[in-house]
Amino acid sequence: MNNITIQGICKLLLQKDNFLIFMHENPDADAVGSCFSLVYTLRKLGKTAYPVCCDKVPSSLAFMTDGERDFTLESLPADFTPEFLMSADVASPGQFGALRPYAAKVNLALDHHATHDRFAKYLYVEPKAGACAEIVYRIVNTLLSGNIPEKTVSLLYAGLAADTGGFRYANTTPATHKVAAKLIEHGANHAQICRNLFECKSKSALAAEAFAMEHMRYLCGGKISYVKIMLADKHARGFEDEDTYDVINVIRRADGVKIAIFAREKDDGTFKISTRSSCEIDVAKICGIFGGGGHAGAAGCSVGADEVDSAVERIVKECGFDD
Ligand SMILES: [Mn+2]
């Protein structure tokens, strides 16, 4: 599946000087950690590199970016001309969001999504990797001959910890733990990172989660949990989109739930549907029906306002539970 090796990637990167590295829309800790650790590593090698994303980094992840959140194209220096475009953790052109036209120009894509939509010239896709950060670690470690700065290892650790749910999800492998161990050896501040990622919540995020718990419904005899949040709910309760990012993880916790479904109305009136599976049902395949994707255990898709209820019904049906 990979058409370039880690060694090949390093050779290629050393030949270039000006890099632009894309994160996916609604960037998560793996996207931010993978992208920024590459940016810092390339800069350490004397090169010019910038991160870019169509959306702001959520404030809950600002601890990873020194408080900066705007990495849109407009944030780049006017005189910067990138010669090598990369993406990290981006599965498809659609995930570039407003920057979608750039997908066709990407020279190298690093990813761990099994559904990766081979849009780049060079690909390194490792679906067994628990996070894209696991792949990026190998690149950074080779480029820096093992001398990875503390800031970079902490970024990689955050990506790895976030995508594996704190090393609890099925995508956690011995290789994941080995990389995590290396990162801690290099000085990753794992306790502080995990506090930031998994414990510390804004009051508005807690309000969003309280709303979700109050309004979630159980379907198929309690095997599916489902909640829909409308713009009006968001405005009435005073929370933002990014406050709802953990809602899916809250509703999947109920005992007996195998599949969780969360539909959120976006500002443009369309809906983002997020799904999680803690059984053999592959939600990436099901979300694929609506042009979405992701991982077998965590996936999503976007649908119009008039199709959200029928889409949720179809997803429920595709799960194939009897009752
Ligand atoms: Mn990821």
Side-chain angles (χ1 to χ4, degrees), residues 6-281:
I6 296 288
Q7 288 296 338
I9 290 170
C10 294
K11 215 173 138 192
L12 196 58
L13 298 184
L14 289 171
Q15 288 166 1
K16 306 289 178 186
D17 283 311
N18 296 295
F19 297 87
L20 191 57
I21 307 176
F22 288 83
M23 293 174 263
H24 54 72
E25 58 182 345
N26 301 322
D28 59 12
D30 189 27
V32 175
S34 297
C35 176
F36 278 78
S37 53
L38 284 165
V39 165
Y40 292 144
T41 299
L42 291 165
R43 286 181 183 168
K44 202 171 157 58
L45 294 168
K47 298 169 185 302
T48 304
Y50 289 101
V52 68
C53 185
C54 63
D55 292 321
K56 274 189 176 178
V57 167
S59 52
S60 59
L61 297 180
F63 75 94
M64 296 178 72
T65 56
D66 298 326
E68 286 287 319
R69 294 178 52 209
D70 183 359
F71 301 99
T72 52
L73 275 185
E74 293 70 36
S75 73
L76 297 172
D79 59 352
F80 174 65
T81 312
E83 60 167 337
F84 197 84
L85 274 56
M86 293 171 70
S87 66
D89 201 39
V90 186
S92 66
Q95 285 202 312
F96 284 78
L99 300 176
R100 187 184 176 126
Y102 288 87
K105 297 176 189 157
V106 172
N107 300 90
L108 170 65
L110 308 172
D111 191 23
H112 68 126
H113 293 87
T115 56
H116 185 87
D117 186 352
R118 315 167 70 89
F119 52 85
K121 184 174 177 202
Y122 294 105
L123 295 170
Y124 191 95
V125 182
E126 177 49 73
K128 287 198 189 81
C132 191
E134 204 175 304
I135 299 166
V136 173
Y137 163 74
R138 299 202 170 92
I139 297 168
V140 165
N141 192 45
T142 306
L143 284 173
L144 299 177
S145 309
N147 298 313
I148 317 176
E150 189 192 315
K151 191 171 178 177
T152 303
V153 284
S154 289
L155 284 167
L156 292 170
Y157 191 92
L160 201 52
D163 263 27
T164 56
F167 306 97
R168 289 174 303 160
Y169 298 158
N171 61 355
T172 307
T173 65
T176 318
H177 280 294
K178 280 177 190 155
V179 170
K182 287 278 176 208
L183 294 172
I184 295 175
E185 272 174 23
H186 280 99
N189 191 348
H190 56 96
Q192 187 59 48
I193 291 165
C194 287
R195 162 82 184 142
N196 285 333
L197 285 177
F198 304 117
E199 294 179 21
C200 201
K201 288 250 162 113
S202 67
K203 293 179 180 73
S204 52
L206 287 176
E209 290 169 21
F211 178 89
M213 280 202 241
E214 209 180 302
H215 293 86
M216 70 190 275
R217 289 165 44 206
Y218 296 112
L219 310 172
C220 299
K223 294 190 185 72
I224 296 181
S225 58
Y226 169 55
V227 72
K228 180 162 83 172
I229 296 185
M230 309 293 291
L231 277 176
D233 303 324
K234 208 175 83 172
H235 296 147
R237 301 286 184 110
F239 50 80
E240 302 290 330
D241 289 343
E242 65 168 81
D243 295 322
T244 66
Y245 288 174
D246 243 3
V247 159
I248 189 74
N249 297 318
V250 168
I251 65 166
R252 73 193 283 270
R253 293 174 66 181
D255 188 21
V257 164
K258 309 272 187 216
I259 300 285
I261 307 170
F262 168 40
R264 169 173 69 83
E265 188 180 13
K266 300 199 284 189
D267 288 333
D268 64 3
T270 63
F271 281 79
K272 171 78 203 279
I273 299 179
S274 304
T275 55
R276 295 290 184 274
S277 168
S278 51
C279 62
E280 65 294 338
I281 294 167

